[in-house]
Amino acid sequence: MAERLFPRGPARFFQRLGPRSQVALCQLPLTLIVAALAIATPFAWPTLVHSPLFLAGILLSGVLFLGCLLVPWERLAHRPYLLIPILDFVAIGLLRNGAAPLLPGLAVLAVFPVIWLSASGMLARSSLVLSFFGPMLIMVPSLAGRFPNLTPSDITTTLLFPLMMLSVSLAIRFASVHVRLQQRELAQKDKELRKLLRESREREKLLQTVLDATDVGIAAVDSSGHFLVANDRQRNFRRATGADDAVPGQGHQLIFGQDRRTLLPPEKRPISRAIAGESFADYLVWAGEGTEQRAVSTAARPLVGEDGQFTGAVVVYSDVTGWVEALAANQELVSNVTHEFKTPLNSVIGNVDLVLDDVAALPPQVAQRLLVVQRNAERLVALVADLSASASAALNVHPKRTDLASLVETSIGSAQAQAEHANIRLTADVPSPLWAYADPLRIGQALDNLVSNAIKYSPDGGKVSISARSTDDWVQLSVSDTGMGISSEDTTRVFKRFFRTESAKGAAIAGAGLGLSITKMIVERHGGHISCVSGQGQGSTFTLTLPAEGPPPSF
């Protein structure tokens, strides 16, 4: 590659010259040699000073070089400058025959016009004919001077030299053809590369336009953390954080945790986590400070090369300030409403309880009405408690080593009356003891919710069963029923607050859609997770996964 590219410098220099300079440059090597001969002749070969042919050769060579410089070749058509190398054969013939027998080797100077003609781009046939007969013209006069005393050696020398020049011309022709083919290939490849580069720039511009048009911030970084691609929203996010770092994720940045006051350490920032190889979603941070502070939900996915090596990551930023503020306002509203409901409801229940203490003195119809009031008031208290729990951002759990088997037994005992009333058979297949790291009060509440729901959504009787399995790290509790089931579309939404399936609404089953959301919150606060497997009319199975052991003690 280096050898192929090296001549491009001189070639580029030659192309920048004018026609006169180009012609003179082609003639210059022969002119310099003839000039050297002219200077050396009086000292080395003084007898040649009196040779008319030799002097005529030197003079013709000088005239030809001046013609190269003075003739306006750019105004003439059909490349008349090729007359110069043809006349060079005449000048070399005069020099060679005028200097014989002192300098018979001057005939070799014919190689210069041969090279010029062969590389000039003229017709191959013309250049080959001239390359043979030009040197022949140089050799014939000396051959004629020896006639009729010619020897086979004289004839061979006279023919061999033109054949040698013809071979040189052929070699130059072949080399020129090869070079031209290479130049065409290089030109074609250069054209293709320019086309690919233009298409690449167009695609890059299109990609940047698409990225800038999105309403989320997007940044792609390499494994060292340097930006590969970023859109306007991501740059706005960096400006909001006051980033002054050369490498993303480092330096001073106003990126806070969920409390909006504690600065995140560099290793906890989204880009730092991403270039560490983490994959995450819904990682909420707060950018900026004061009234301009924004809530940003971030997600990251790693970039992996063909060899499976980590090459970088893509980080996505979504401004969720409005959603977070709306959620906070909603939670505050629910919290305020439930707080205001508790006092009058407790007053109603307390007064009803006082009246029912002397139920024998009441007419049966009044006592029955008061029992209805008491039951519905207690139901409202339970609903308010659920609302308060779902609105609480700080549902506290206090896990410890707990036997889940006893919690299952207690939950079944509590639900037995409800199950008998609904003609439901309750079963449990749980080994005892079944140890897990859990808050017995909260997990008991979660089990009660699941068992109560299983009974409630099996209105035509059936079976509700609780099973368990464990590993060294996790314990799973599953609550299964044979009830109406949940469609596959609804299983992904069943843990959202206030969500109720259409089948439950159609069957007029009472509920507020809070039990499963509270259960999910409880399980996640334990570091576990909950899942649902169901089908329309095929029953449902809810599975709690809890850690079997707690964190190691600290000393």
Side-chain angles (χ1 to χ4, degrees), residues 114 401 406 515:
V114 167
R401 194 164 185 261
S406 62

Side-chain angles (χ1 to χ4, degrees), residues 209-497:
T209 303
V210 172
L211 291 177
D212 289 340
T214 59
D215 59 355
V216 297
I218 300 174
V221 293
D222 60 19
S223 57
S224 300
H226 296 92
F227 283 112
L228 301 175
V229 177
N231 66 349
D232 285 341
R233 284 195 173 261
Q234 198 278 335
R235 287 187 283 269
N236 291 337
F237 170 77
R238 281 176 57 78
R239 282 193 290 270
T241 62
D244 59 0
D245 54 332
V247 178
Q250 304 301 318
H252 176 70
Q253 290 187 13
L254 298 175
I255 302 180
F256 300 90
Q258 295 192 23
D259 63 358
R260 307 178 66 169
R261 293 186 300 275
T262 304
L263 279 171
L264 288 179
E267 66 273 10
K268 293 295 184 181
R269 296 170 186 169
I271 285 186
S272 298
R273 291 183 59 187
I275 61 178
E278 291 189 52
S279 178
F280 55 86
D282 297 328
Y283 181 48
L284 185 67
V285 298
W286 287 86
E289 57 185 352
T291 58
E292 301 298 322
Q293 193 176 54
R294 310 296 294 174
V296 181
S297 176
T298 63
R301 293 293 182 272
L303 296 174
V304 181
E306 293 182 358
D307 56 356
Q309 296 295 319
F310 176 78
T311 60
V314 175
V315 186
V316 179
Y317 304 79
S318 301
D319 189 336
V320 293
T321 308
W323 179 81
V324 170
E325 290 177 348
L327 182 62
N330 177 62
Q331 290 178 339
E332 184 179 1
L333 174 63
V334 172
S335 178
N336 290 336
V337 169
T338 53
H339 177 74
E340 295 298 326
F341 277 4
K342 283 180 181 179
T343 301
L345 282 174
N346 288 331
S347 176
V348 170
I349 292 174
N351 282 281
V352 170
D353 287 343
L354 289 174
V355 175
L356 288 176
D357 283 344
D358 193 16
V359 68
L362 298 174
Q365 187 176 6
V366 174
Q368 184 178 1
R369 298 291 180 94
L370 287 174
L371 289 172
V372 171
V373 171
Q374 184 187 48
R375 184 167 61 251
N376 283 279
E378 289 174 348
R379 180 182 171 189
L380 281 174
V381 169
L383 180 59
V384 167
D386 286 347
L387 281 170
S388 179
S390 66
S392 174
L395 191 151
N396 297 318
V397 296
H398 303 284
K400 61 183 180 180
R401 194 164 185 261
T402 301
D403 181 13
L404 297 184
S406 62
L407 298 182
V408 171
E409 182 179 354
T410 301
S411 182
I412 288 178
S414 300
Q416 194 65 48
Q418 180 188 2
E420 291 176 356
H421 183 267
N423 195 26
I424 300 293
R425 184 163 58 94
L426 291 176
T427 64
D429 182 15
V430 177
S432 181
L434 179 63
W435 298 105
Y437 189 70
D439 184 332
L441 178 63
R442 293 299 187 184
I443 295 302
Q445 180 183 355
L447 275 174
D448 288 344
N449 284 340
L450 292 179
V451 173
S452 176
N453 275 359
I455 296 172
K456 187 176 5 177
Y457 291 101
S458 301
D460 298 326
K463 176 182 176 182
V464 173
S465 59
I466 304 177
S467 59
R469 69 185 187 92
S470 62
T471 66
D472 292 339
D473 299 321
W474 299 96
V475 175
Q476 287 186 335
L477 282 176
S478 297
V479 179
S480 303
D481 63 66
T482 57
M484 63 177 62
I486 306 170
S487 66
S488 57
E489 294 82 4
D490 288 342
T491 54
T492 59
R493 300 183 293 167
V494 74
F495 295 105
K496 292 183 178 180
R497 286 196 304 167

